[in-house]
Amino acid sequence: MSEITIKDIAKQCGVGVSTVSRALNNHPDINPETRRKILEVIEETGFIPNNSARNLKRTDAKCIAVLVKGITNPFFSNMIRIIEEETQRNRYALVLRHVEAHEDEVDVALELEKEKRLRGIVFLGGRFVHSEEKLAKLNVPFIFSTIGVDITDRVGRVEFSNIAVDDRLESRKMTEYLLSLGHRNIAIIVERPEQPIGRLRVDGYKEAYAQRGLSVPEDMICYVQDDIDYYSMENGYLTARKLMESPAGGRVTAIYATSDSLAIGACRAVLEAGKKIPQDISVAGYDGIEMGEYYNPKLTTIKQPVEEMAKETIGLLLDVIAEKEGHQQIVFPASLVVRESTGKCREVRSPLGSG
């Protein structure tokens, strides 16, 4: 039996090919009854759109997909812009897909592969913990970028690249800085430890305390809400407000939020509680987004080298596609940027940790 084409669908429905294309792409300028009829015929015939029906020519597509988990996080904006510029410069098309918090990004990638003839995939954000069996189903080169990866972790026989900072090390660096200012009751706002980035950043936080022989204030490990975007300002605000209303809120002298967006949201909760930043409570973030430099007070942060990471991500993927390079595991250094939102602890409102 010959392959069913979009022309066959159009002929059977008595419409033009462009009308079928509009129905597939859910365009508003099509009669609802016509769309229903077309979709019914598609279901009956088992027709599978080639290249998502957006490119109807059977040409050799040069297409790269970027799957973003946490697209509302401003940290990704510059990365996406640079990746888009580089793909266009190399005459590749870019497919940008937002992955919802509850979705598995590899499942989304596998579905996207069915729709488009991809040459490569970039995963921005999300989870690193995927089964080797599932990753092996991806038929094109892929790179994990800015995803929490313990560099001791490895996926057996599946070849892939990973580009990130050392989240455990950088989180320890921020906590050590706050401890050096005399803070002992440092709250951390972070995603749950089931998420690799959350686990690594909490590990770094705890290591900094352990190195000084101090007890970790376990009641100040504050996990963000699961029902809204992990790294949104709203989540930072709600999580910090809950902290400030808890018994621990009366002891906290510093808040370390594991993204700048969370930190900016936390600042609002601190100010609403009648506290001053940094006189009463220091607030620090992670990522180094531009907004943090213009917030009042300017935000102390761990700055990730966004531009370098983005260029390395797309450059390496294109080289792997062209078989110029093999897959690599690349760890970039981040930097501690001290600004106005942190200062020395003026008073200790509870006994120091043991040590």
Side-chain angles (χ1 to χ4, degrees), residues 92-164:
Y92 277 80
L94 181 71
V95 178
L96 182 62
R97 170 66 189 271
H98 168 48
V99 182
E100 298 289 349
H102 65 274
E103 290 183 297
D104 184 301
E105 51 269 39
V106 177
D107 286 338
V108 173
L110 289 169
E111 284 299 314
L112 202 55
E113 266 199 288
K114 293 178 183 178
E115 297 178 4
K116 292 183 176 291
R117 286 170 293 165
L118 301 176
R119 292 291 191 86
I121 300 171
V122 174
F123 294 98
L124 286 182
R127 298 171 60 242
F128 177 77
V129 183
H130 296 285
S131 71
E132 182 177 343
E133 181 182 4
K134 183 179 286 188
L135 289 172
K137 293 179 181 178
L138 292 170
N139 296 314
V140 295
F142 58 93
I143 289 183
F144 290 115
S145 186
T146 68
I147 291 178
V149 176
D150 187 328
I151 58 176
T152 62
D153 290 343
R154 285 293 179 267
V155 177
R157 297 179 298 278
V158 179
E159 287 192 297
F160 67 96
S161 292
N162 179 71
I163 294 174

Side-chain angles (χ1 to χ4, degrees), residues 147-273:
I147 291 178
V149 176
D150 187 328
I151 58 176
T152 62
D153 290 343
R154 285 293 179 267
V155 177
R157 297 179 298 278
V158 179
E159 287 192 297
F160 67 96
S161 292
N162 179 71
I163 294 174
V165 299
D166 186 332
D167 283 289
R168 179 188 284 110
L169 172 65
E170 302 303 340
S171 187
R172 186 171 72 228
K173 182 190 297 180
M174 175 58 82
T175 311
E176 286 172 346
Y177 162 70
L178 293 171
L179 289 170
S180 75
L181 295 177
H183 297 284
R184 295 297 180 267
N185 291 308
I186 304 168
I188 181 172
I189 296 178
V190 65
E191 62 180 345
R192 296 194 174 275
E194 301 86 59
Q195 303 296 330
I197 288 180
R199 172 172 55 83
L200 291 170
R201 293 183 185 176
V202 168
D203 285 349
Y205 164 84
K206 289 182 175 181
E207 285 175 6
Y209 272 91
Q211 285 179 350
R212 287 177 174 255
L214 300 171
S215 299
V216 175
E218 296 286 348
D219 59 346
M220 294 190 187
I221 300 177
C222 307
Y223 297 112
V224 297
Q225 295 187 194
D226 292 330
D227 55 344
I228 57 178
D229 287 341
Y230 288 150
Y231 293 109
S232 66
M233 285 180 271
E234 179 187 12
N235 216 335
Y237 167 70
L238 293 173
T239 307
R241 187 177 70 179
K242 184 177 179 181
L243 166 68
M244 299 305 295
E245 293 171 350
S246 73
R251 307 192 331 268
V252 64
T253 64
I255 295 175
Y256 160 38
T258 55
S259 85
D260 289 344
S261 295
L262 289 173
I264 290 170
C267 285
R268 176 184 167 187
V270 170
L271 296 172
E272 283 187 359

Side-chain angles (χ1 to χ4, degrees), residues 12 40 50 64 67 69 73 80 83 114 130 198-199 222 249 267 326 337-338 351:
Q12 189 167 338
E40 283 181 356
N50 182 270
I64 289 173
L67 277 65
K69 202 160 193 176
N73 188 347
I80 293 169
I83 289 172
K114 293 178 183 178
H130 296 285
R199 172 172 55 83
C222 307
C267 285
V337 179
V338 177

